[in-house]
Amino acid sequence: MWMRLAALAVLAFVPCVYAQGTKTPDPLTLDDAIARVAQYHPDLRLAEAQRPIWEARRDAAGLRPPLSVGVDLENALGSGDASGLRSAELTVTLAGMLDRGGKLDARRAVAQANLDSLAPQRETARLDLMAEVARRYLAVTDARQQLAIARTDIEQRTRAVAAARLRLQAGASPESVLLTAQAMLAQAELDRDRAAQADQSARAALSALWRQREPGFDVVTGDPMQLPALQDFAVLADHLQRTPELAMLAGERRIREAQVQLARTAARPDISWQVGVRSNRENRDTSFVAGFSVPLGSVARAAPEIRAAEAELALNAVERDARALQLYATLAEAHGRYLTSRLEVTRMARDVLPQLKRAENAAEKAWRAGAISYMEWAQLQAMRIEARQRQLEAAIAAQTALIEIQRLTGQSMLATGDTPATAAVSTEDRR
């Protein structure tokens, strides 16, 4: 269940993936990508690989102490009357041990508790892995958005170079203006090439999750500016009580409780017994023999192990409280980071970017008319690009926080009926 919820909620901003081929690319849906990761990534197979081990140990724990057959030869191969086999006594015995104190059930309980703990381990691995898939999708999204920003910068710098060349030819501005515009265009082209390389590296890192060395697909990512409203923090915090990380500690507690019970059974000693038949070769007599033995001091010897097991059980409670507090603090930090970043993305789209776009357009007209210097226009161009990059950084930070919240809770965290906060204002630079 956790795996499906993560696929639907964590990766909500990435609708699908497309594979590139030599001809028409075959679409690769998100579920297909998750299936590939589940098939090839070893982290998801670790828990299942451990299952046969603990099943075998559980079966071994259910075995009773074995019976043993013994043969004793006495008064043989000696001297005098005991020379040769004339006075030999041969005893054949059957021996065993009586488990006391519920040791058999305690051993079974320990093995079964270890077996049961595999389920939350597997779910934790799934959540962690899908969070990693989401982060790598997000890296591709970031690179694609950086590439789009660089192309916008190139487009506006190209206009500036063309205008500077015309003014230079007309004698209205010095050559330094054209050289400066060309240098800024070269920087924008460098940013484009760097974003393209980052996109290729991010896709290679994504495909590595299913052991594909060459990224033979093109990722069509969603808009990182689409940041939905979350559920109340109290609701998200309540989900932490059912997170698989705490379920793992609960499983460890059951293991330690079973170990305490097993240690306590050692205080009740087991009884060793044996029965047999003795044959006297000298007088041809046969007799029945029997015996038993009980170790002494079992309570004293079991006491240290009992104390250690009880201390480990008490430690588990402390570990759970510490881990719960850590999860709560991490969730609070991620929730606050998401709200702050979402606010920044919204305000940048609504209050900053539209004004900078209009200001840049007005500056271009003013410079062409000779009303302002080139550096004033160039400064506004740079401010617009920096604002878009700042907005993108905030969006990526929000999406990263969203992934972390999903990983922590394993639940859908979107507020019912809410629409993305920036849906109406995040397309300013597309107009």
Side-chain angles (χ1 to χ4, degrees), residues 111-127:
Q112 186 62 47
N114 279 283
L115 187 60
D116 294 340
S117 68
L118 296 178
Q121 292 178 25
R122 181 175 59 251
E123 300 305 332
T124 299
R126 285 178 176 176
L127 281 179

Side-chain angles (χ1 to χ4, degrees), residues 249 253 256 311-323:
L249 290 176
R253 179 176 182 82
R256 295 180 184 182
E312 289 182 352
L313 179 59
L315 178 62
N316 176 264
V318 178
E319 290 174 342
R320 190 186 188 284
D321 290 342
R323 185 56 181 158

Side-chain angles (χ1 to χ4, degrees), residues 121-204:
Q121 292 178 25
R122 181 175 59 251
E123 300 305 332
T124 299
R126 285 178 176 176
L127 281 179
D128 290 343
L129 184 56
M130 269 181 296
E132 181 62 22
V133 173
R135 283 188 286 266
R136 296 193 188 190
Y137 272 122
L138 187 58
V140 178
T141 305
D142 187 14
R144 293 293 174 87
Q145 293 294 321
Q146 292 286 359
L147 186 60
I149 292 174
R151 286 170 177 167
T152 300
D153 198 16
I154 289 174
E155 186 271 333
Q156 65 183 15
R157 299 297 181 184
T158 301
R159 295 200 318 268
V161 169
R165 183 175 288 110
L166 290 176
R167 288 178 62 85
L168 176 62
Q169 294 172 353
S173 63
E175 184 181 8
S176 60
V177 172
L178 175 60
L179 295 175
T180 301
Q182 290 174 337
M184 291 183 174
L185 174 60
Q187 291 180 359
E189 291 173 344
L190 174 60
D191 292 339
R192 176 201 60 196
D193 296 341
R194 183 174 56 186
Q197 182 60 49
D199 172 69
Q200 182 178 357
S201 300
R203 288 189 292 114

